[in-house]
Amino acid sequence: MATSEKNAVVAELAELFRSSTAAVLTEYRGLTVAELKQLRRALGENATYAVVKNTLTEIAADQAGVDAFKGKMSGPSAIAFVSGDPVDAAKAMRDFAKSHEALVVKGGYMEGQFLDEAGMKKLADLESREVLLSKLAGAMKGNLTKAAYMFQAPLSQAVRTVDALRAKVEEQGGAAAPAAE
């Protein structure tokens, strides 16, 4: 590969690192072209899965300010550059790796942190953003319902007290009226 081609590849990879919300480093040794195509489809439109040259990728990562992959680039490597929700991509990788043992997830990079294989599994085990938001909304609604009940309780207690006093007065008033006759 000529130097100008290498520079273009490094620039493209550096831009992918900068524009991605996360990156997942994998080893794809033993996967066929058809299986790699299937993995790309599983990742969807929010991720770009690229087979990369280790040296050029390390240079591009340094240029992009990503030092998480230093020393981890060995063997046939490929990186999934995630532009959408990292949880969805991690789930797709986990599910694909279950059925294709040749895919090895080495780790990932998200929000300035390197995630090892265990960190990637934890990320994949998270529920989707929509589910987490709906749980948060449900919890907030529950708290609002409790607050409304707390504000309403003194009023209903006061109404019950007044009703009890009225009943007592009627009872005393009703008993006093026949005695006066």
Side-chain angles (χ1 to χ4, degrees):
M1 185 181 291
T3 305
S4 61
E5 291 176 20
K6 290 179 183 178
N7 289 339
V9 169
V10 167
E12 181 182 352
L13 288 172
E15 182 55 34
L16 283 171
F17 274 115
R18 285 187 203 101
S19 64
S20 299
T21 56
V24 182
L25 177 63
T26 64
E27 183 175 319
Y28 65 94
R29 183 179 312 189
L31 291 176
T32 64
V33 173
E35 291 170 333
L36 287 174
K37 197 178 212 181
Q38 184 181 0
L39 174 59
R40 285 185 176 104
R41 269 185 270 143
L43 286 171
E45 295 178 9
N46 294 333
T48 303
Y49 190 72
V51 174
V52 295
K53 291 192 175 282
N54 295 337
T55 307
L56 298 179
T57 304
E58 284 184 354
I59 294 169
D62 283 341
Q63 285 183 5
V66 177
D67 59 353
F69 295 134
K70 277 189 179 174
K72 295 177 179 49
M73 302 292 296
S74 61
S77 299
I79 298 179
F81 296 100
V82 182
S83 59
D85 188 8
V87 175
D88 292 339
K91 285 180 191 239
M93 287 283 210
R94 177 196 61 196
D95 295 343
F96 188 84
K98 282 182 184 176
S99 60
H100 299 85
E101 294 177 6
L103 180 72
V104 177
V105 177
K106 294 181 179 180
Y109 171 79
M110 186 175 83
E111 296 179 358
Q113 300 290 324
F114 177 74
L115 299 172
D116 59 358
E117 188 177 348
M120 290 302 298
K121 285 182 181 177
K122 286 180 184 177
L123 184 64
D125 290 339
L126 283 177
E127 293 174 333
S128 70
R129 183 177 189 273
E130 291 79 18
V131 171
L132 291 174
L133 286 174
S134 66
K135 283 185 176 184
L136 176 64
M140 291 173 68
K141 180 182 176 189
N143 287 338
L144 287 174
T145 303
K146 287 178 187 176
Y149 178 76
M150 293 290 289
F151 289 132
Q152 186 179 2
L155 293 174
S156 60
Q157 185 178 7
V159 168
R160 285 192 302 269
T161 304
V162 168
D163 192 42
L165 285 172
R166 183 190 52 79
K168 187 175 181 180
V169 167
E170 284 180 2
E171 182 182 297
Q172 289 175 354
E181 290 179 14

